Amino acid sequence: MTTTSQSPSVSPTDDGAPTSRPVRRRRPSGRDLAIDATRGLAIWSMISLHFADGTVAAVPTHAYPYVDGMSAFVLLSGLVLGIVYQRWVVKFGLGYALRRLAKRLVTLYVCQLAISLIAVAAAQAVAPREFRALTQLPPHPSLGTLLEWAATMRYLPSGGNILVLYLLLMASALVVVPLLANRLWPVVLGGSLVVYAATMIWPTGTTGTSVLTITSFPGGPPIQNWAAWQILFVPAIVIGWRWDAWRLPELIDRWLVPLLVVTMIVGLTVEDAVMSEDLRPHLVLLVDKVDLGPVRAVLSFLVVTCVYGVFRSALRWMRRDLLRPLVATGARSLDSYVLQAVCLLAIPILIVDRPWKPAPAVLIALAVFAACWVWAECRARWGVDKLHRAPMLLATSVRKAWAARQARNGERSSERQRQPDEQAGQEGSRIHR
């Protein structure tokens, strides 16, 4: 078994800070390539489902029952938050970590607002029937009402609604992180399990709504129960918080083969089990997606652990460039999600009407993923570590370019002034002679 050295005090994702202590299977910046690749695969799973559902492109990441990219995205977001903020609390203090968390919440709100405003613009430009089919949203309310819904995160187009759930779960970290900083992780786990049990006792169901339920628009059907989905996010924060102390990467390496065997056996038998006479009456409770049934929750942890372990093993012997699209896209998973949500609205309106045949759907899905990859590579090349810094970097570049231009103009002006003086001096010299 190959083991790594002590983990660096740095994030394995785009939330981390640079470090000078490289370890195996990590970039020089300290990023865990296997986590990045797993997040990238979750992004591809969502893109293939949104753009090419039912085609060969979507089959590989949707073959395992009751697990999809959204579940993996939420789980990995909690894991990364735990890893990053534990190291920030140790290195910079709790206050610094909470300030960074507040900034992240603002970023998530701005991203969701952008998606919702694009949906509002589409509602004004597209025929009502086409718009409803495209976004699963009502186009009829007035523009003022739509803008109000967008500003209050109550106008969520299909394929662009995960960020509200993500924002609410991230907000819960304002309570979770201080508890973990005080070594109260058992309390956090216990509270998460109690809240989840309550959602099973009083579930949302397929038509009901409550204060715990997120809807696409006021009066619309429920899409997520955030109190149930926290069972992926909050325990994952705890796991990330104890990532180094429990030496979990090495533990996954050691038990990877048994984990893979168990995961394959469960995947082959779980659908028959939940459809059996004993469990069929509880089918909705066990596998519902709105209330995240316990079968979905357990399988999500199992599958994500195995995928991460496989990527760790693969990175020991294969060239890292082979996983570069997944790694780069996963490193900028928030950007990638926002970009695919925008493309999901823009492509049918501006380029190719839906429905798409299988071949064009696959090509479009690949093109969208490629766009996410290119964007991630451009951010790395331009040195934009945080997206909110892009306007400042752009302004600095413009200011430097303007200063250089002014300097060149000044040199030309000085040169033009020197030329008449030199000519006058030469003429005076000839007259003197």
Side-chain angles (χ1 to χ4, degrees):
M1 180 186 69
T2 304
T3 59
T4 63
S5 61
Q6 185 178 1
S7 298
S9 57
V10 66
S11 165
T13 64
D14 50 309
D15 292 305
T19 180
S20 59
R21 290 187 294 165
V23 295
R24 298 179 190 178
R25 290 185 298 279
R26 293 178 185 265
R27 293 174 177 167
S29 62
R31 302 177 69 93
D32 189 325
L33 297 178
I35 290 181
D36 281 344
T38 307
R39 296 176 86 183
L41 189 63
I43 291 294
W44 166 251
S45 176
M46 288 188 282
I47 289 175
S48 64
L49 178 67
H50 295 160
F51 292 87
D53 187 21
T55 68
V56 293
V59 169
T61 54
H62 295 88
Y64 201 92
Y66 309 122
V67 178
D68 56 17
M70 179 179 175
S71 302
F73 181 87
V74 172
L75 192 158
L76 289 166
S77 297
L79 176 68
V80 168
L81 188 149
I83 295 173
V84 173
Y85 283 77
Q86 186 272 336
R87 294 170 182 170
W88 281 351
V89 167
V90 170
K91 190 172 183 179
F92 303 112
L94 179 60
Y96 173 85
L98 293 178
R99 287 193 298 272
R100 292 298 297 264
L101 182 57
K103 292 179 180 179
R104 188 67 170 176
L105 291 173
V106 173
T107 300
L108 290 174
Y109 173 77
V110 171
C111 290
Q112 182 60 67
L113 178 62
I115 294 173
S116 297
L117 290 177
I118 291 173
V120 172
Q124 309 305 307
V126 179
R129 180 178 298 179
E130 180 182 353
F131 177 80
R132 181 181 291 276
L134 182 62
T135 64
Q136 306 299 313
L137 293 175
H140 300 296
S142 65
L143 178 60
T145 300
L146 294 181
L147 291 175
E148 177 192 351
W149 289 356
T152 54
M153 297 187 296
R154 294 183 295 164
Y155 201 61
L156 312 176
S158 177
N161 51 33
I162 296 178
L163 292 187
V164 173
L165 172 65
Y166 187 19
L167 190 149
L168 291 173
L169 295 177
M170 285 286 286
S172 71
L174 292 170
V175 176
V176 170
V177 168
L179 291 175
L180 294 176
N182 287 282
R183 301 181 181 181
L184 295 176
W185 63 265
V187 174
V188 174
L189 275 182
S192 175
L193 291 172
V194 168
V195 172
Y196 182 69
T199 65
M200 294 187 66
I201 297 173
W202 299 287
T204 300
T206 56
T207 58
T209 58
S210 68
V211 294
L212 307 178
T213 303
I214 300 171
T215 59
S216 295
F217 57 92
I223 52 176
Q224 289 118 18
N225 182 333
W226 62 266
W229 277 81
Q230 60 80 30
I231 198 62
L232 294 179
F233 189 80
V234 174
I237 296 178
V238 175
I239 293 172
W241 198 271
R242 305 294 297 173
W243 189 254
D244 297 331
W246 291 341
R247 299 185 65 83
L248 291 177
E250 291 82 359
L251 193 63
I252 292 172
D253 287 341
R254 185 181 306 133
W255 292 96
L256 180 59
V257 173
L259 277 172
L260 289 172
V261 172
V262 170
T263 302
M264 287 187 289
I265 293 174
V266 171
L268 293 171
T269 59
V270 65
E271 288 185 298
D272 292 335
V274 298
M275 294 298 291
S276 64
E277 293 183 2
D278 294 333
L279 296 180
R280 187 172 185 134
H282 311 288
L283 181 63
V284 173
L285 181 67
L286 292 173
V287 301
D288 184 50
K289 191 169 183 178
V290 173
D291 288 317
L292 196 76
V295 171
R296 284 185 178 271
V298 172
L299 293 182
S300 295
F301 276 100
L302 192 60
V303 171
V304 169
T305 301
C306 288
V307 172
Y308 170 75
V310 168
F311 280 136
R312 275 181 61 87
S313 298
L315 287 167
R316 292 194 186 99
W317 55 267
M318 71 185 302
R319 292 185 56 184
R320 293 178 178 181
D321 288 344
L322 296 178
L323 291 178
R324 190 180 183 96
L326 292 178
V327 170
T329 305
R332 304 297 178 190
S333 57
L334 177 60
D335 294 20
S336 300
Y337 180 80
V338 173
L339 183 57
Q340 69 85 34
V342 172
C343 289
L344 196 59
L345 290 171
I347 291 176
I349 295 174
L350 302 176
I351 303 176
V352 183
D353 291 337
R354 302 193 79 160
W356 300 320
K357 293 182 179 180
V362 171
L363 291 176
I364 291 171
L366 291 172
V368 171
F369 185 80
C372 295
W373 178 23
V374 170
W375 170 249
E377 295 286 359
C378 288
R379 278 194 62 180
R381 186 175 183 84
W382 296 336
V384 185
D385 180 53
K386 298 298 179 186
L387 194 58
H388 64 271
R389 296 176 186 164
M392 186 179 299
L393 292 174
L394 180 61
T396 301
S397 299
V398 171
R399 187 168 58 252
K400 289 181 178 179
W402 177 258
R405 181 179 179 182
Q406 292 294 99
R408 288 194 299 269
N409 291 339
E411 291 175 358
R412 294 193 188 102
S413 178
S414 299
E415 185 178 353
R416 285 194 297 268
Q417 290 176 0
R418 286 196 303 269
Q419 287 176 353
D421 293 341
E422 291 175 357
Q423 292 175 359
Q426 291 173 0
E427 291 177 356
S429 176
R430 287 197 296 269
I431 292 173
H432 179 73
R433 289 198 299 269

